[in-house]
Amino acid sequence: MRTWDSPLDSVRAAAFLAAAAAILLSANSVLNEFAFDDLLVITGNAAIQDLGSLPAALVSPYWPDEYGQESGLWRPATTALFGIQWAIWGENPAMFHAVNVLLHGVVTALVVLVLSELAPLALAFVAGLLFAAHPVHVEAVANVVGLAEVLSSLFYLGACLVFLRARERISLFRGAAITLLFTLAFLAKESAVTLPGAFFLLDGARATTG
């Protein structure tokens, strides 16, 4: 009979349990309606509500009103996912919220996987649980427009994991994967521009713990 691996012995079990905790703790947000910036960026943005107009929205500012022209924010990866979701389930806030919750679970699993490359698994697991439950993530997960943060974090941490697992030498394949993930993270939210600096920090941490 197969038994469950302990999260203190298996990095996969640790990542899975931390992700499950994140999903369970955030699941109540699925009952939320569209609110605040959701009303402008999604329900009030006709450009993302039709696949025919979606390509034009991808080269337009993230915010559809005059503020968008002033701020100059451009998040085509996030805009594309909003448009795809609208095409699949329309104006159904529960499904939009569910995507955020599931992605939060995946991001939490990545936190455990990344930290397990630098620290003992027990510490990585506890950090993953803290990440899953920390109230700082409420706005990003519970508001639909928080998808920008969650999606960017997914690609950002994915790039960090590929970087750490490359060890001393980054192959052409891993280099291409890191470049793609970095690009997607930046196109989801501009704060991902910090990733090259994070690599220096990760390399230093790896040298210290290694």
Side-chain angles (χ1 to χ4, degrees), residues 162 166 170-181:
V162 174
I170 297 179
S171 66
L172 180 62
F173 175 77
R174 287 183 183 274
I178 290 171
T179 301
L180 175 61
L181 290 167

Side-chain angles (χ1 to χ4, degrees), residues 33-46 49 63-64 86 91 144-145:
E33 298 293 330
F34 293 111
F36 302 113
D37 295 341
D38 302 342
L39 303 177
L40 181 63
V41 176
I42 302 169
T43 61
N45 186 3
Q49 296 170 8
W63 295 92
W86 191 280
E91 193 175 356
V144 175
V145 291

Side-chain angles (χ1 to χ4, degrees), residues 155 159 173-187 195:
F155 295 130
F173 175 77
R174 287 183 183 274
I178 290 171
T179 301
L180 175 61
L181 290 167
F182 177 32
T183 302
L184 290 172
F186 180 76
L187 294 180
L195 184 59

Side-chain angles (χ1 to χ4, degrees), residues 2-25:
R2 179 177 176 83
T3 58
W4 286 96
D5 293 326
S6 166
L8 302 182
D9 298 325
S10 166
V11 66
R12 290 185 179 181
F16 176 81
L17 289 176
I23 291 171
L24 288 174
L25 290 170

Side-chain angles (χ1 to χ4, degrees), residues 107-119:
V107 169
T108 301
L110 284 170
V111 168
V112 175
L113 294 175
V114 168
L115 291 178
S116 68
E117 297 290 325
L118 301 169

Side-chain angles (χ1 to χ4, degrees), residues 70-155:
E70 295 174 0
S71 66
L73 294 180
W74 184 57
R75 301 171 182 172
T78 302
T79 300
L81 188 50
F82 283 146
I84 292 169
Q85 289 187 78
W86 191 280
I88 296 173
W89 40 68
E91 193 175 356
N92 184 343
M95 297 305 297
F96 281 86
H97 285 295
V99 168
N100 278 26
V101 170
L102 291 175
L103 289 180
H104 178 48
V106 177
V107 169
T108 301
L110 284 170
V111 168
V112 175
L113 294 175
V114 168
L115 291 178
S116 68
E117 297 290 325
L118 301 169
L121 181 55
L123 180 58
F125 179 53
V126 171
L129 293 177
L130 178 61
F131 184 90
H134 203 290
V136 74
H137 304 304
V138 170
E139 184 176 359
V141 179
N143 291 331
V144 175
V145 291
L147 177 69
E149 285 85 358
V150 181
L151 187 63
S152 183
S153 297
L154 185 150
F155 295 130

